[in-house]
Amino acid sequence: MTRLFDKTFWGLTIGLVALFALNFLLEEWMRSIGLQSLSRGCVAIGLLVLWRTGLVSFGHALFFGFGAYTVAMLQIIGVNDIILLLIGGCATAGLLALVLGFLLRQYRAIFFALLNMAFSMILYGVLAKVEALGSTDGIGINQVSFFGFVPSDDSYRPTLFIFAVIFAYIAAVGSHWYLKSTLGLMTMAVRENEIRVEYLGYSAEKAIHIKYVLSGVLAGMGGVIMALTIGHVDPDSMVYWTVSGDFVFITILAGTGNVGATFIGALVYELLRTYAFEFAPEIWQLILGGSLLLIIMFLPDGLWSIRSEWRNRRALAAAKSGDAPAGE
Amino acid sequence: MAHVLEVYDLEKNFGGVVAAHNINVTVDEGETIGIIGANGAGKTTFVNMVTGYLPPSGGRIEFLGKSVVGLHPRDVTKRGLCRSFQVPQVFLSESIFDNMLVAYGIAERSGLGLFTPIHTDERAARVDAHLKRYQIEDYRDVAASALPQGVRKLLDIAMATVRNPKLIMLDEPTSGISVEEKFGLMDIIMEALRQEDTTVMFIEHDMEIVERFVDRVWAFYQGEIICDAPTAEAMVDEKVREFVIGQEYHPAHLEGGAHA
């Protein structure tokens, strides 16, 4: 807990290097699944932070869509470098979260969840109606440059993948370190007892507001990656309430134990959806729903709890054999 | 001696119900004040007003010479006026150590410092020393939800003292504690607070505890203070005996100081 460079950090770093190496081997459809997992994983980290604070959002497609549409808008005015698009997408989503946060920080539980959804549906309505924003058809996204470098058509997607991996890595490590800071541990404190937080000398609402902005920035980042991955933004695939539902699904699937698990959850979700759609196009929603049901029934703390369960069993077995570990 | 707390003409109404009326009191540095009164007499309302949880309907509250009326509990806390609760307000799913770690983290950091790692060796050492002062170090890694009530009370007070407050208000520190354990618990609390050089006020229903640990008593009755006097005097005050402690209670100092 003391060190910044702990197991999770090294785990994420190994993941980074592994994905760099895999990039050479992946076929394009796999890379596409990878990119979408990285995108949704970023959003789900934001939800994890809120979840640990005891808050669920059913409307984070709002910030996701804001990030994605910012890419489209910036391209219209001629900005086309990935780093500027990323900064722009994160900044606008973060700013929106900052403004809405003044209202949302006053709400908890179902009110918080549904107010987020309400705002996302307002954005959906606006995007679907306004011609200048592409209306229901949306807007196409052009290929971008990478710090001024313009790759050939063949190497465009692998380059995009490398950058997406780096962005997701920064988001994951940054969030992991944040969760170990005083403010990060306040997620637990606010969830458990807001009165105590106030009487320790900090505003619970302010703590929630900061987490909300962080989650907005992360969702904006996810939106930027998704816009560049799909090459198109439209209200249905970026802002509709079911998109928010996907993020909640991933958070439940991954559990809130570890930021790294979020990407595993996102990948599992992506594979589940892709294969369910491919092999059972008539009943793919049924398969997704059934999977969610099984996860909630048997792994209520998500995939990450498989690891904790395995560790508990190992410790118990060691204790029974008289070889109790000293503990970590 | 300097006044730590000064309260003038304090009023509080909840609609037509008068919860505080014409309260005028002062607390000097180093004093130990006992607040007594029946349920609903206005004791906790008074503590809630002083610590910023409830706004008064009228009057002034000054802590170390400055008004604290209108401040949030967090701002009152930062000025050095802290409180504990009748029902301990702790982070139930976390260990004692992590509860204290968060408390220290919030107390010691502000602004961008809040983004630095909460767990440092120096802070862990301070937490351990604090736990030792309150004699709960044996429960260091036990989740707060699994603690005996007395230990949870001590944790609540330990968390309230991480800022080394000038004045602490304890809301019924011995409620829910068995008769045999009450004195031991209070000994630990008062010794720790003495080491921390903190002035203490506490709400208490057990008159034996009041007699043993308190210098001065405020007796509340229907939102008013009907007696503000040294403990021995208060225990024989007619109004106090009639409205608060009952005529049948025999003060310890008149019986040769059973617990003195």
Side-chain angles (χ1 to χ4, degrees):
Chain A
M1 212 168 165
T2 312
R3 294 170 304 133
L4 289 177
F5 304 103
D6 57 2
K7 275 188 197 166
T8 300
F9 170 80
W10 291 117
L12 289 168
T13 307
I14 290 168
L16 173 85
V17 175
L19 286 174
F20 280 173
L22 267 177
N23 195 25
F24 293 105
L25 309 172
L26 291 177
E27 289 185 35
E28 185 43 43
W29 68 272
M30 296 178 189
R31 191 174 288 118
S32 197
I33 285 181
L35 278 163
Q36 294 196 35
S37 305
L38 291 168
S39 159
R40 292 202 173 89
C42 287
V43 189
I45 292 177
L47 289 195
L48 175 150
V49 172
L50 288 177
W51 207 288
R52 284 199 188 179
T53 318
L55 298 167
V56 181
S57 165
F58 290 148
H60 258 49
L62 172 68
F63 305 110
F64 182 74
F66 225 69
Y69 268 80
T70 300
V71 172
M73 295 298 117
L74 285 174
Q75 285 198 336
I76 288 172
I77 60 166
V79 178
N80 204 34
D81 197 88
I82 193 163
I83 196 70
L84 295 176
L85 295 173
L86 180 81
I87 291 170
C90 290
T92 52
L95 199 63
L96 181 65
L98 179 71
V99 174
L100 296 183
F102 285 105
L103 177 73
L104 279 149
R105 69 194 226 169
Q106 299 170 39
Y107 293 89
R108 305 290 181 272
I110 192 71
F111 304 103
F112 180 87
L114 290 186
L115 258 180
N116 274 291
M117 187 197 261
F119 280 117
S120 77
M121 289 313 287
I122 289 172
L123 179 67
Y124 176 83
V126 171
L127 292 174
K129 287 287 170 206
V130 178
E131 289 291 336
L133 297 171
S135 188
T136 47
D137 292 338
I139 305 171
I141 303 290
N142 304 319
Q143 291 200 352
V144 297
S145 61
F146 300 87
F147 287 101
F149 166 71
V150 183
S152 65
D153 278 356
D154 282 349
S155 59
Y156 178 74
R157 298 287 285 186
T159 311
L160 179 63
F161 185 77
I162 291 283
F163 273 82
V165 168
I166 294 171
F167 296 154
Y169 175 77
I170 292 168
V173 170
S175 301
H176 175 59
W177 283 350
Y178 166 77
L179 287 169
K180 288 170 61 144
S181 72
T182 301
L183 254 181
L185 229 72
M186 261 195 251
T187 51
M188 171 282 290
V190 169
R191 183 189 68 226
E192 293 264 327
N193 198 328
E194 288 191 26
I195 290 176
R196 172 49 85 192
V197 172
E198 288 282 338
Y199 275 101
L200 284 172
Y202 200 77
S203 160
E205 285 191 1
K206 190 172 163 188
I208 287 173
H209 202 160
I210 292 170
K211 285 161 217 317
Y212 191 67
V213 172
L214 177 67
S215 74
V217 169
L218 288 165
M221 179 186 275
V224 171
I225 296 173
M226 189 61 88
L228 299 179
T229 300
I230 299 179
H232 186 261
V233 294
D234 64 84
D236 276 319
S237 57
M238 292 295 171
V239 197
Y240 198 53
W241 65 272
T242 52
V243 179
S244 299
D246 293 341
F247 303 138
V248 176
F249 189 124
I250 291 168
T251 312
I252 292 173
L253 191 63
T256 57
N258 188 288
V259 290
T262 306
F263 291 103
I264 298 169
L267 179 65
V268 171
Y269 167 80
E270 217 58 61
L271 292 171
L272 204 60
R273 201 168 79 148
T274 305
Y275 282 102
F277 196 69
E278 188 172 337
F279 294 112
E282 304 297 319
I283 55 161
W284 70 276
Q285 290 102 331
L286 188 74
I287 294 175
L288 274 190
S291 316
L292 188 60
L293 188 68
L294 290 175
I295 288 283
I296 290 173
M297 284 176 71
F298 297 107
L299 287 172
D301 293 325
L303 293 173
W304 189 249
S305 58
I306 296 175
R307 180 179 174 276
S308 334
E309 182 66 17
W310 178 71
R311 276 172 59 179
N312 285 346
R313 283 190 191 177
R314 202 176 50 157
L316 196 64
K320 275 184 183 163
S321 67
D323 183 23
E328 285 180 69
Chain B
M1 213 178 279
H3 291 318
V4 179
L5 183 73
E6 298 161 78
V7 176
Y8 302 107
D9 307 323
L10 194 66
E11 304 281 337
K12 181 71 191 176
N13 308 311
F14 294 103
V17 179
V18 177
H21 175 60
N22 195 29
I23 293 180
N24 287 279
V25 284
T26 57
V27 180
D28 290 336
E29 197 175 335
E31 259 191 318
T32 303
I33 304 282
I35 302 177
I36 63 172
N39 288 332
K43 308 181 297 296
T44 299
T45 301
F46 175 77
V47 171
N48 283 342
M49 282 192 284
V50 173
T51 58
Y53 195 71
L54 279 178
S57 308
R60 285 189 291 144
I61 305 168
E62 289 179 10
F63 176 64
L64 300 175
K66 287 183 183 163
S67 173
V68 291
V69 174
L71 294 184
H72 289 288
R74 55 181 178 271
D75 298 318
V76 177
T77 300
K78 281 185 205 162
R79 290 206 183 171
L81 200 176
C82 297
R83 73 171 290 186
S84 74
F85 297 84
Q86 187 179 352
V87 177
Q89 298 295 323
V90 298
F91 308 127
L92 284 174
S93 70
E94 303 299 316
S95 69
I96 280 195
F97 181 80
D98 282 346
N99 267 273
M100 290 297 289
L101 197 62
V102 171
Y104 263 98
I106 295 174
E108 294 178 348
R109 288 279 179 266
S110 61
L112 289 176
L114 286 164
F115 288 93
T116 54
I118 195 166
H119 193 147
T120 62
D121 290 344
E122 299 78 39
R123 186 173 291 152
R126 281 196 292 283
V127 167
D128 283 329
H130 208 127
L131 295 181
K132 211 163 190 155
R133 209 153 54 239
Y134 284 85
Q135 301 185 25
I136 49 177
E137 71 272 25
D138 289 349
Y139 295 90
R140 183 182 190 273
D141 299 317
V142 178
S145 59
L147 294 173
Q149 178 69 356
V151 179
R152 205 179 298 165
K153 286 263 184 190
L154 287 169
L155 173 62
D156 186 50
I157 296 169
M159 287 175 81
T161 55
V162 291
R163 284 179 185 268
N164 203 1
K166 195 80 187 155
L167 171 66
I168 188 162
M169 305 179 104
L170 310 176
D171 194 349
E172 301 198 27
T174 65
S175 72
I177 307 298
S178 69
V179 178
E180 305 85 62
E181 289 172 323
K182 279 187 175 183
F183 283 98
L185 185 80
M186 283 305 290
D187 280 335
I188 294 170
I189 295 168
M190 297 308 281
E191 174 57 23
L193 292 172
R194 193 190 59 74
Q195 286 179 29
E196 291 161 8
D197 207 16
T198 302
T199 302
V200 189
M201 303 170 59
F202 64 87
I203 297 175
E204 184 56 64
H205 286 292
D206 187 322
M207 291 308 133
E208 291 182 359
I209 297 277
V210 171
E211 283 195 80
R212 174 156 161 182
F213 293 101
V214 163
D215 301 324
R216 200 146 59 90
V217 168
W218 300 344
F220 276 70
Y221 179 69
Q222 293 186 343
E224 292 187 53
I225 292 185
I226 55 170
C227 175
D228 173 0
T231 311
E233 274 179 44
M235 290 294 123
V236 293
D237 183 275
E238 261 319 300
K239 276 190 190 163
V240 174
R241 294 186 71 78
E242 184 179 348
F243 296 117
V244 184
I245 61 179
Q247 296 291 357
E248 64 277 15
Y249 180 75
H250 299 293
H253 71 278
L254 295 181
E255 295 181 342
H259 298 290

